[in-house]
Amino acid sequence: MPDAEEDAAITAAAESDPDNGIWTDEDFARARPVTDFPELVEILRRHGRPVLPEEERKQRVTMYLDRDVLARLKAGGKGWQTRANAKLREALGL
């Protein structure tokens, strides 16, 4: 988590970016899911990850882990969140 100084620097950089302004509540209210744009979905399917149906999408969560647990998860490098999900599924019998 950034400290106050880092957060201020990040915010200042975002606010000064003419191509990516800060979203207002109105912007979020007008936002539409990518699935509303079939042509964009097709481009994403051809050049990146497929867009999953809502019921198959993972959910973002925030949780606190012991430092040694996190270190062990990250020791395998990139993809540690996917490995953590697989270990949780295994532990829960899913």
Side-chain angles (χ1 to χ4, degrees), residues 1-56:
M1 192 107 197
D3 62 27
E5 185 177 325
E6 291 169 321
D7 186 57
I10 292 167
T11 300
E15 288 173 341
S16 68
D17 183 347
D19 297 321
N20 189 26
I22 302 296
W23 278 39
T24 64
D25 289 340
E26 292 78 21
D27 293 324
F28 281 105
R30 285 193 314 269
R32 295 170 41 202
V34 69
T35 51
D36 283 359
F37 304 92
E39 66 283 357
L40 181 55
V41 170
E42 183 55 32
I43 291 168
L44 291 171
R45 281 195 176 113
R46 282 186 276 139
H47 300 286
R49 289 185 178 177
V51 177
L52 296 173
E54 182 72 29
E55 65 276 3
E56 293 181 31

